[in-house]
Amino acid sequence: MTTDISTQSNKGINGALLIGVLLIILGIVAIFQPAVSTIFAETWFALILISAGAAKLGYAFQTRNSEGFVWKLLLSILYIATGAMLFFSPLKGVLTLTLLLGSFLLTEGVFELILAFRLRPQQNWTWVLGDGIITLLLGGIIWFQWPNDAPWLIGTLVGVSVLSTGISRVMLSLNRSSSFNSSDQTT
């Protein structure tokens, strides 16, 4: 039973390329519909907190005979209450999440820069470097624009970050594709 390894590798590359293109499309949609994407991101985050709180509550009651039950219970209530506040007061939640997003983007930018320098031996590593720099800049913009631009800022900045990530991933997958094509020609 023989298999063509280059075909299987190219399937992985095509999948990575497809994900990059999907990220580019989602980023463009988020940029052109910033108010919608802001509320979507805020509501999504609220639902995640509520779900995590429910899971923590279930775990607290499953382990109620062990130590720390009260703390597990309080933590689950904190998750659920925070998620409910964000869900039922989305505009206040947007203001709060704007600062949280700024912190997230600053941290993501640092991690992208670290990743870029670890990828430095590869071709096209500068695309990941550019992604990290752009993400750092976006995090800084949030801090200087808050709170006046919060209703559209989250959606726009998330869109730009997703677009930038999509472009960098497409470029990396094209790099892998060209290295597979050159190895196919030499064999």
Side-chain angles (χ1 to χ4, degrees):
M1 179 156 115
T2 61
T3 57
D4 185 2
I5 294 173
S6 64
T7 304
Q8 289 177 347
S9 299
N10 285 333
K11 287 180 185 177
I13 292 168
N14 291 339
L17 182 64
L18 181 64
I19 289 170
V21 170
L22 180 62
L23 288 172
I24 290 170
I25 292 168
L26 290 173
I28 291 170
V29 169
I31 290 168
F32 283 108
Q33 295 294 324
V36 172
S37 54
T38 295
I39 294 298
F40 177 81
E42 190 272 347
T43 303
W44 180 72
F45 187 66
L47 293 174
I48 288 173
L49 282 177
I50 292 168
S51 300
K56 286 180 177 292
L57 185 63
Y59 177 73
F61 279 103
Q62 278 183 332
T63 60
R64 66 181 166 270
N65 295 329
S66 64
E67 288 190 36
F69 170 72
V70 172
W71 294 109
K72 293 174 194 172
L73 184 65
L74 290 174
L75 188 59
S76 65
I77 291 170
L78 174 66
Y79 269 67
I80 292 169
T82 303
M85 186 275 302
L86 291 174
F87 189 78
F88 292 114
S89 299
L91 297 179
K92 290 179 185 175
V94 165
L95 290 173
T96 304
L97 288 179
T98 300
L99 288 178
L100 181 62
L101 178 63
S103 300
F104 170 78
L105 289 176
L106 288 170
T107 305
E108 180 190 7
V110 169
F111 289 160
E112 288 283 342
L113 290 176
I114 292 168
L115 174 62
F117 286 108
R118 293 187 60 79
L119 293 174
R120 195 161 65 173
Q122 293 184 21
Q123 257 185 338
N124 294 332
W125 71 275
T126 54
W127 285 95
V128 179
L129 177 68
D131 180 27
I133 291 169
I134 289 169
T135 304
L136 272 175
L137 289 173
L138 295 175
I141 289 170
I142 288 177
W143 287 93
F144 294 112
Q145 296 293 324
W146 190 84
N148 297 331
D149 297 336
W152 62 267
L153 193 64
I154 289 176
T156 302
L157 294 180
V158 168
V160 170
S161 179
V162 170
L163 176 64
S164 175
T165 300
I167 291 170
S168 74
R169 296 323 183 252
V170 165
M171 296 310 292
L172 282 174
S173 70
L174 292 177
N175 181 44
R176 288 186 197 129
S177 175
S178 67
S179 68
F180 280 117
N181 289 339
S182 65
S183 68
D184 287 344
Q185 293 171 358
T186 60
T187 56

